[in-house]
Amino acid sequence: MVIYKFGGASVRNADAVRNLAKIVSQYPRQLVIVVSAMGKTTTALEELVKLYVDGWFNAEGKASRKPLTQAPDESQIADIENWHHFKNRAFEKLEEIKNYHLEIVHDLFSDPKHQVYEDVDVYFSSLTGMLNSEPSTNYDYEYDRIVAFGEIISTRIVSHYLNLENILNEWIDARKCIKTTNFYRDPKIDWESTSKLVPLGFHFKRTKIHITQGFIGSTSDNHTTTLGREGSDFSAAILAFSLNAEYITIWKDVDGVYNADPKWIEKSERLQKISYHEAIELTYYGATVIHPKTIKPLQNKRIPLYVRSFISPENPGTLIHSFDAPNIGANSGLTIPVFIRKPNQVMISVKTFDFSFVAEDNLSLLFGLFAKYRVRTNLMQNSAISFMACVDYDATKLPKLVRDLSSEFDVEVTEDLELITIRHFTPEVIEQIIGDKKIIIQQRSRVTARFVLGK
Ligand code: ADP
Ligand code: ASP
Ligand code: MG
């Protein structure tokens, strides 16, 4: 049994879905297909949740708290108008998402009576119902239950289309099998329940193909959770682990894992093979081609992972498995330098007011605050009385973290930085990539050189 995972780009329009069907049709044995939301649907649904929740709490909430018997005053009128504005924009966004999906459905299914039309309609009616009712005060809970529709709808469409093409398959709701804690948007997997439920759901009794959603799971009381942006790769790994899959193939718009994002460095080279260890390091440092959590479950059971191109499926791609060499370049056959770039970085610099040492007295307080707001440090450095952390820009979490830090320390924030990591570096490649750019921090270990660069 094998797992194929298709991301948003591989189902972004009707031709892409046809291409998926062609790839799938060539696999003759038991197969689990994991599919993401179509194209940029997840981002559109995120915008929808924001309009919906902000609309209720910033405008509708305030408007309805005033006694209705009184003539509305000016601020109340403004609130009501504001609410209508948000509500209209939320419904416009929903309409946009619906039209995008319907266009793909019309292109794939010529029979207007096909079941897919009713199914898609039911999902969009559920979303309309949600937008018309008051949200809970837990934003992340609302996010998960709404954003998950992207995957639910895409897999329904793909499943119907494959059946229409005689690629018989059964649709499975991943939420019935992948169980998580109730930390919405960033839950931990309940491995014990998941590894029991997955083989029960994916039983191959009626068909040799199961199709399911990436990115989503549910709590023990069946509330929907999402596993973090780009989390579908991780879903595929969870299923592979629980089903003892022979291997996974992740189908991407690139020919495999390169020694740099080909969109950044044109002359990057495909890596033929990578060890699990190296793959964990690369994704941890920010190589966005695979979700960082994907590797560990596969490594635990030594399940091979292939990254291949859905545009050129005849190409060999990259194999991630247990190898002695960390990475093997397709051209050279040797370990070659790998470059990872993380844009949009923020440096938070913290100093003690009273010259007390950061390390002895204050580190646990600092890490406690970073953990409280779930801000992950991409790089850190400390001296006697100062601590610096480079983190991803986040308009929601960072202001709260900086506010709390400022009540204990002298805090300075620098935005608009980039973090470059070079694995297996040589002085020449550092010179090529960094040149005379403004270095704010640099750190080197035997294998890895890292640079925080300013503008
Ligand atoms: P998915 O369709 O599964 O969501 P993504 O778009 O998230 O796929 O990932 C594929 C993209 O990852 C590529 O288009 C490429 O620009 C980018 N990428 C970043 N780093 C690398 C790398 N080292 N090798 C290959 N691709 C990379
Ligand atoms: N659809 C989700 C996202 O866009 C998950 C994924 O594609 O991996 O983040
Ligand atoms: Mg993606």
Side-chain angles (χ1 to χ4, degrees), residues 5 7-8 36-37 39 42-43 151 215 228-233:
K5 181 257 164 175
S36 303
T42 304
T43 304
E151 269 61 19
F215 182 55
R229 287 302 307 261
E230 305 294 331
S232 293
D233 295 344

Side-chain angles (χ1 to χ4, degrees), residues 241-256:
F241 178 93
S242 308
L243 292 166
N244 293 313
E246 230 172 280
Y247 64 87
I248 300 193
T249 301
I250 297 187
W251 297 93
K252 297 265 171 185
D253 61 356
V254 273
D255 256 344

Side-chain angles (χ1 to χ4, degrees), residues 47-308:
E47 288 161 11
L48 176 72
V49 177
K50 194 155 177 17
L51 288 168
Y52 162 57
V53 177
D54 283 0
W56 276 89
F57 290 123
N58 296 341
E60 194 278 343
K62 276 195 258 160
S64 63
R65 262 192 304 268
K66 309 242 167 98
L68 289 172
T69 45
Q70 276 174 20
D73 60 29
E74 254 172 50
S75 76
Q76 192 179 7
I77 290 169
D79 284 338
I80 293 169
E81 277 172 2
N82 213 357
W83 177 45
H84 282 300
H85 169 71
F86 269 110
K87 222 174 156 183
N88 286 343
R89 282 184 53 202
F91 280 111
E92 271 165 30
K93 181 56 75 185
L94 183 62
E95 200 59 23
E96 221 177 83
I97 299 169
K98 185 175 178 181
N99 288 340
Y100 165 66
H101 285 89
L102 280 180
E103 200 176 307
I104 296 175
V105 170
H106 282 299
D107 197 329
L108 293 173
F109 302 86
S110 52
D111 175 6
K113 292 202 181 65
H114 193 285
Q115 180 64 31
V116 70
Y117 287 95
E118 194 183 320
D119 288 352
V120 169
D121 202 55
V122 167
Y123 293 135
F124 281 100
S125 301
S126 303
L127 281 166
T128 305
M130 285 181 183
L131 300 192
N132 273 320
S133 49
E134 183 169 348
S136 68
T137 49
N138 184 343
Y139 188 90
D140 294 340
Y141 166 83
E142 297 302 328
Y143 176 103
D144 281 357
R145 70 185 187 125
I146 291 176
V147 172
F149 272 88
E151 269 61 19
I152 298 283
I153 298 168
S154 74
T155 49
R156 264 292 178 217
I157 297 172
V158 174
S159 170
H160 276 305
Y161 180 70
L162 293 180
N163 278 327
L164 184 73
E165 291 296 295
N166 224 13
I167 304 169
L168 300 185
N169 69 91
E170 196 172 328
W171 183 89
I172 293 185
D173 188 333
R175 295 172 296 186
K176 295 218 160 75
C177 302
I178 295 186
K179 288 291 166 180
T180 71
T181 58
N182 64 358
F183 203 101
Y184 296 101
R185 286 181 81 175
D186 193 14
K188 292 214 158 51
I189 302 299
D190 172 353
W191 284 99
E192 207 184 311
S193 308
T194 301
S195 50
K196 278 192 200 121
L197 291 169
V198 168
L200 297 177
F202 295 76
H203 48 63
F204 300 100
K205 282 186 192 136
R206 288 178 285 269
T207 55
K208 67 179 174 65
I209 300 180
H210 283 303
I211 175 160
T212 195
Q213 310 76 37
F215 182 55
I216 68 173
S218 75
T219 64
S220 56
D221 41 9
N222 298 323
H223 292 298
T224 303
T225 48
T226 64
L227 310 182
R229 287 302 307 261
E230 305 294 331
S232 293
D233 295 344
F234 182 36
S235 300
I238 296 168
L239 296 176
F241 178 93
S242 308
L243 292 166
N244 293 313
E246 230 172 280
Y247 64 87
I248 300 193
T249 301
I250 297 187
W251 297 93
K252 297 265 171 185
D253 61 356
V254 273
D255 256 344
V257 180
Y258 279 61
N259 74 330
D261 184 343
K263 286 186 194 128
W264 171 39
I265 299 179
E266 224 178 282
K267 287 197 186 124
S268 53
E269 184 182 337
R270 181 176 60 86
L271 301 171
Q272 208 180 353
K273 295 175 178 171
I274 315 178
S275 67
Y276 289 121
H277 179 188
E278 184 72 4
I280 287 192
E281 297 282 353
L282 300 185
T283 55
Y284 171 82
Y285 287 127
T288 56
V289 63
I290 309 167
H291 189 279
K293 290 183 184 164
T294 312
I295 309 296
K296 184 169 174 281
L298 302 180
Q299 190 260 340
N300 287 352
K301 289 206 174 171
R302 296 171 57 91
I303 298 171
L305 167 62
Y306 293 90
V307 179
R308 294 177 60 187

